[in-house]
């Protein structure tokens, strides 16, 4: 029953919950999950605590740069419910290397026939998977973003970190307030 509940949670929230459990209990719950969800959570749990990888979620939208705006909007409609937040769409090549970003506002205002490559912002602010929690928090302070993508050493997009998750990492007492007795 616990594995069913955790499967329904956002991946980053599920990892936070699982990380707080004793190892034996965590392993039992993970093994009871469906294969796809289990593999996703195991990847996230493998990132060292206090790194960008441990704070990110893998629920985000990535599109190929050669799509038209109309095609992109159709893709977003298909995948938006599975994404934690949909403020930005990340553009990648076939190898999933991060090439650019588009806000939904920019996308909706563009001509339906334009290609994403022509309208994307190529100067993407991003974090590396092994960046420290401190760097993540400072990044949000410096750039005032709501979401920041996370890439590996080959610039392959691995996830996103939301402002909410950065705040939770910096001030966990807001996420887990002490209960009054």
């Amino acid at each position: 029953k616990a594995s069913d509940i955790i499967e329904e949670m956002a991946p980053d929230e599920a990892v936070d919950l699982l990380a707080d459990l004793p190892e034996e209990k965590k392993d039992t719950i993970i093994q009871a999950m469906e294969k796809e969800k289990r593999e996703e959570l195991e990847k996230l749990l493998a990132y060292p605590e206090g790194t960008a990888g441990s704070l990110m979620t893998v629920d985000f939208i990535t599109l190929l740069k050669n799509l038209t705006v109309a095609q992109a909007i159709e893709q977003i409609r298909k995948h938006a419910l599975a994404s934690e937040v949909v403020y930005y769409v990340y553009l990648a090549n076939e190898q999933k290397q991060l090439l650019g970003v588009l806000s939904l506002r920019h996308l909706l205002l563009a001509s339906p026939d334009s290609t994403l490559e022509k309208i994307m912002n190529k100067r993407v602010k991003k974090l590396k998977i092994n960046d420290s929690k401190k760097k993540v928090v400072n990044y949000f302070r410096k750039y005032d973003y709501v979401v920041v993508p996370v890439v590996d050493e080959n610039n392959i997009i691995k996830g996103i970190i939301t402002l909410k998750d950065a705040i939770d990492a910096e001030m966990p007492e807001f996420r887990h307030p002490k209960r009054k007795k």
Side-chain angles (χ1 to χ4, degrees):
K1 193 169 189 175
S3 66
D4 290 340
I5 293 168
I6 291 173
E7 283 179 1
E8 296 300 317
M9 296 173 71
D12 58 325
E13 301 293 334
V15 166
D16 288 345
L17 177 65
L18 289 168
D20 291 341
L21 295 175
E23 203 64 34
E24 186 179 306
K25 212 169 243 192
K26 176 172 62 175
D27 291 341
T28 302
I29 291 171
I30 289 174
Q31 291 310 311
M33 291 180 171
E34 292 178 18
K35 183 182 179 195
E36 186 178 324
K37 189 69 171 187
R38 180 178 64 240
E39 289 173 351
E40 180 181 280
L41 293 180
E42 286 174 337
K43 283 181 190 174
L44 289 172
L45 284 164
Y47 293 113
E49 185 68 29
T51 64
S54 72
L55 300 174
M56 71 183 185
T57 185
V58 293
D59 287 342
F60 62 98
I61 297 176
T62 305
L63 299 173
L64 294 173
K65 65 179 183 173
N66 60 345
L67 292 177
T68 65
V69 167
Q71 291 170 323
I73 291 171
E74 189 58 37
Q75 289 292 314
I76 292 167
R77 284 187 182 125
K78 289 180 186 175
H79 302 289
L81 286 177
S83 299
E84 186 169 332
V85 293
V86 188
Y87 297 117
Y88 302 104
V89 176
Y90 299 98
L91 293 300
N93 60 19
E94 290 77 13
Q95 293 77 38
K96 297 193 178 184
Q97 291 175 310
L98 183 61
L99 303 174
V101 64
L102 275 172
S103 70
L104 279 188
R105 180 180 190 279
H106 194 109
L107 186 67
L108 292 172
L109 294 174
S111 167
D113 298 329
S114 294
T115 61
L116 300 182
E117 184 173 28
K118 288 181 183 173
I119 62 171
M120 72 181 177
N121 179 354
K122 295 176 184 169
R123 295 183 314 268
V124 183
K125 299 290 184 201
K126 58 194 170 194
L127 290 160
K128 299 276 188 190
I129 209 135
N130 290 316
D131 284 343
S132 70
K133 176 178 79 170
K134 183 177 181 175
K135 182 171 184 176
V136 170
V137 170
N138 287 335
Y139 219 73
F140 277 92
R141 281 188 181 124
K142 181 177 181 180
Y143 295 109
D144 202 24
Y145 288 141
V146 179
V147 180
V148 177
V150 179
V151 297
D152 69 8
E153 63 279 353
N154 297 313
N155 200 42
I156 295 173
I157 187 165
K158 294 294 188 173
I160 60 170
I161 299 176
T162 65
L163 175 60
K164 176 194 170 297
D165 292 332
I167 291 169
D168 286 348
E170 178 70 2
M171 298 180 288
E173 65 273 14
F174 287 105
R175 185 177 59 170
H176 301 293
K178 301 237 187 279
R179 299 195 192 275
K180 295 180 182 177
K181 295 186 180 190

